[in-house]
Amino acid sequence: MTTAFAPVTLRAGRLTLRPIDAGDVDAYLTAVDDEVRRWMPWSEDFTREKAVRWCTEEASGDLSRALNLAIVPPETGRLEGAVGIGRADWDTGAAETGYWLGPAARGRGHATEAVRAVARHAFGLGLTRIELLAAVGNVASQRVAERAGFTREGVLPEARPLPGGKMADMVRFRLLKGEL
């Protein structure tokens, strides 16, 4: 089994999923709108400085536990969101996926395509279980999980913070290697 991710570019239907880099800063700033800020605690107090740090350092950080990729539709050729695999535990074969999309990419199946592609990639590296957490109120994210083939397992009370620090109940979904 692999014990780390490597930088990779994936094809996901109509999309390219590629490493995030310094050239993505402006697109990243544009894509992080009020809807992203509603659900993603990292988007709180979002500044250009934070965007530069994410695109140049953090997104390509510890590849033993996480892989972050830009979601790039062919129509724009620009980052319109991100998808990744994180919290990888190579001993148990489990990891978590996460994603977000800016307004230009929503409602077009991009998140579903991207999540399926990174799950397929992770399974190819030896992981066997991918989990996905979505806030109870984030119905759009839950629909992505379902369309991507994930199974709802239950609700975890006060499992993750929302912007502002309030803890949110999260719906846990899972996808097993043989289910993709």
Side-chain angles (χ1 to χ4, degrees), residues 1 4 8 36 54 67 100 104 106 108 115 121 129 132 137 140 162 165:
M1 176 191 295
V8 64
V36 173
W54 173 254
L67 174 68
W100 63 270
R106 292 188 196 125
R108 298 164 56 195
V115 167
H121 178 69
R129 177 186 175 90
L132 186 157
L162 293 177

Side-chain angles (χ1 to χ4, degrees), residues 2 22 25 36 40 60 63 79 82 100 105 136 143 153 158 172:
T2 302
V25 171
V36 173
M40 302 296 182
S60 61
L63 291 174
L79 175 146
W100 63 270
V136 167
R143 287 187 183 134
E153 290 191 320
E158 298 186 16
R172 181 170 69 188

Side-chain angles (χ1 to χ4, degrees), residues 91-173:
D91 292 329
T92 66
E96 185 177 320
T97 189
Y99 49 90
W100 63 270
L101 288 174
R106 292 188 196 125
R108 298 164 56 195
H110 291 177
T112 301
E113 288 180 34
V115 167
R116 289 179 62 80
V118 296
R120 185 175 296 108
H121 178 69
F123 291 147
L125 296 175
L127 293 170
T128 58
R129 177 186 175 90
I130 307 294
E131 295 181 353
L132 186 157
L133 297 178
V136 167
N138 191 343
V139 175
S141 190
Q142 292 174 49
R143 287 187 183 134
V144 167
E146 292 164 351
R147 285 192 303 264
F150 284 71
T151 300
R152 180 186 171 118
E153 290 191 320
V155 175
L156 302 173
E158 298 186 16
R160 293 275 170 89
L162 293 177
K166 181 182 177 196
M167 295 302 288
D169 295 349
M170 304 297 280
V171 181
R172 181 170 69 188
F173 294 87

